[in-house]
């Protein structure tokens, strides 16, 4: 897939006579999109496997990181141009960006699991009683309980967890915050710390969640874990690595939380980003 992008950039430069600066801008935007697809586990079947759902999720990813609408529009223009090229060359059948109106990012509501879906997912994770199962259940419960970003979760250290105060410290810079942890999630996390992590982590390593070799768990690794339990639970709806974060936000709004409170919990710099969850809440009603 990366090679196909390179071929397209060569086409822009040599056949369309785009300037070096314009080609470089296309390279940056398409590379960011491809790297995001890799992190989410969407590159296993090539460009033909990218659909409207992935485009919606990527748009929300950009909005959540406070990109200006003009920047989002530019990035989407590059991606639209690329997919249009693939369709013209008959390398893919359908253009996933055809009905995506990039400047109107607000209309794209983040997708969440129903409460029943959450219960089924957590129940499936709780069935596995070995070290891996203790770790996986703690991660899933913590993601749903706190609304952490996937990148924030994999970067947690033991020092970030306060069992006494039932909180975790996460994020960096403007996103740094302390968030409360539900009793259920803290119970799963405590069990992992006492019985699971000690059998997995390398001595002296302070990272909270580790892989089966004792190293830091990656975002890609976490996505594969989530995907496994989604399949085991028989959940048929689209689930991405940020679905639990979206579910946390939408369910909190349905329970009566204020947008300003949710903004603080999610670490959004701008409340307009948080407001996108209102549509998701209404869609589940």
């Amino acid at each position: 897939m990366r090679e196909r992008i390179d071929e397209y950039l060569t086409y822009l430069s040599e056949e369309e006579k785009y300037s070096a600066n314009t080609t470089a801008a296309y390279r940056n935007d398409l590379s960011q999109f491809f790297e995001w697809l890799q992190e989410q586990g969407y590159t296993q079947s090539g460009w033909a496997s990218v659909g409207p759902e992935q485009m919606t999720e990527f748009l929300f990813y950009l909005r959540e990181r406070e990109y200006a609408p003009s920047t989002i529009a530019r990035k989407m223009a590059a991606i639209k141009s690329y997919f249009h090229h693939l369709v013209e060359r008959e390398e893919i059948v359908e253009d996933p960006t055809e009905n995506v109106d990039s400047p109107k990012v607000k209309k794209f509501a983040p997708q969440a699991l129903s409460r029943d879906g959450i219960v089924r997912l957590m129940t499936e994770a709780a069935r596995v009683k070995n070290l891996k199962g203790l770790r996986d259940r703690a991660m899933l419960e913590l993601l749903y309980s706190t609304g952490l970003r996937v990148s924030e979760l994999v970067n947690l250290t033991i020092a970030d967890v306060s069992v006494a105060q039932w909180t975790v410290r996460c994020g960096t810079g403007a996103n740094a915050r302390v968030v409360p942890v539900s009793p259920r999630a803290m119970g799963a996390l405590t069990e992992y710390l006492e019985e699971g992590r000690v059998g997995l982590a390398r001595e002296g390593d302070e990272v909270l969640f580790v892989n089966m070799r004792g190293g830091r768990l990656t975002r890609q690794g976490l996505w594969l874990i989530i995907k496994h339990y989604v399949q085991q639970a028989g959940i048929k709806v689209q689930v991405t690595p940020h679905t639990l974060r979206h579910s946390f936000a939408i369910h909190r709004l349905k329970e009566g939380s204020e947008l300003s409170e949710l903004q603080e919990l999610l670490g959004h710099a701008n409340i307009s980003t948080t407001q996108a969850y209102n549509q998701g809440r209404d869609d589940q009603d």
Side-chain angles (χ1 to χ4, degrees):
M1 293 174 73
R2 173 75 74 175
E3 291 177 357
R4 192 62 194 83
I5 290 177
D6 290 338
E7 291 171 3
Y8 175 63
L9 295 170
T10 299
Y11 162 80
L12 293 180
S13 176
E14 296 183 357
E15 297 189 35
E16 295 295 328
K17 305 302 180 183
Y18 281 26
S19 69
N21 287 340
T22 300
T23 302
Y26 270 72
R27 181 182 299 277
N28 289 336
D29 292 338
L30 291 174
S31 293
Q32 180 187 22
F33 180 54
F34 174 69
E35 289 165 5
W36 178 84
L37 288 171
Q38 278 189 311
E39 291 173 0
Q40 312 309 310
Y42 293 140
T43 58
Q44 296 179 358
S45 302
W47 288 111
S49 64
V50 180
E53 298 85 1
Q54 284 72 44
M55 298 311 308
T56 298
E57 190 71 19
F58 183 65
L59 278 167
F60 195 79
Y61 164 86
L62 295 176
R63 183 170 178 80
E64 193 174 36
R65 279 150 184 78
E66 310 295 336
Y67 283 100
S70 59
T71 302
I72 294 175
R74 189 203 72 223
K75 291 179 181 294
M76 287 305 303
I79 296 170
K80 283 173 177 264
S81 176
Y82 176 64
F83 277 112
H84 182 67
H85 178 78
L86 294 182
V87 170
E88 280 192 335
R89 297 298 174 94
E90 298 184 348
E91 296 182 36
I92 61 174
V93 177
E94 296 182 355
D95 182 354
T97 69
E98 183 176 359
N99 296 315
V100 175
D101 190 0
S102 57
K104 299 179 181 179
V105 180
K106 289 182 181 179
K107 77 176 184 179
F108 294 104
Q111 299 300 304
L113 281 175
S114 65
R115 293 188 184 280
D116 176 68
I118 290 292
V119 170
R120 289 164 60 189
L121 184 64
M122 300 306 175
T123 300
E124 193 60 41
R127 295 182 193 278
V128 185
K129 303 299 184 182
N130 56 21
L131 299 180
K132 181 179 182 301
L134 293 176
R135 180 203 64 185
D136 295 352
R137 177 174 175 246
M139 290 192 300
L140 294 178
E141 292 282 4
L142 190 60
L143 279 173
Y144 178 63
S145 167
T146 61
L148 295 187
R149 299 177 176 90
V150 170
S151 59
E152 292 172 338
L153 182 121
V154 298
N155 286 319
L156 289 175
T157 66
I158 294 176
D160 291 325
V161 179
S162 174
V163 176
Q165 297 181 4
W166 293 42
T167 61
V168 293
R169 182 178 62 238
C170 64
T172 58
N175 289 325
R177 62 202 186 279
V178 175
V179 295
V181 180
S182 71
R184 178 186 174 102
M186 185 55 76
L189 184 55
T190 302
E191 188 175 10
Y192 163 68
L193 286 169
E194 294 177 350
E195 302 179 26
R197 187 183 180 280
V198 292
L200 294 173
R202 299 166 184 165
E203 185 175 354
D205 195 343
E206 292 300 308
V207 66
L208 180 58
F209 292 112
V210 297
N211 59 34
M212 299 307 291
R213 298 179 299 280
R216 181 186 296 272
L217 187 71
T218 64
R219 287 177 292 183
Q220 174 71 4
L222 177 56
W223 165 224
L224 292 175
I225 290 167
I226 294 173
K227 187 175 182 179
H228 167 75
Y229 288 109
V230 166
Q231 292 174 340
Q232 290 297 111
I235 296 172
K236 303 300 183 184
V237 298
Q238 174 81 10
V239 176
T240 74
H242 282 291
T243 297
L244 293 180
R245 175 173 166 86
H246 299 333
S247 303
F248 160 83
I250 290 173
H251 294 171
R252 286 295 291 261
L253 283 177
K254 287 174 69 69
E255 291 168 0
S257 292
E258 298 293 333
L259 275 175
S260 57
E261 175 191 1
L262 189 60
Q263 176 190 5
E264 184 176 349
L265 291 172
L266 293 172
H268 288 161
N270 194 317
I271 199 167
S272 64
T273 305
T274 318
Q275 289 170 338
Y277 286 107
N278 272 326
Q279 182 177 337
R281 176 190 60 184
D282 295 339
D283 289 346
Q284 284 208 346
D285 287 339

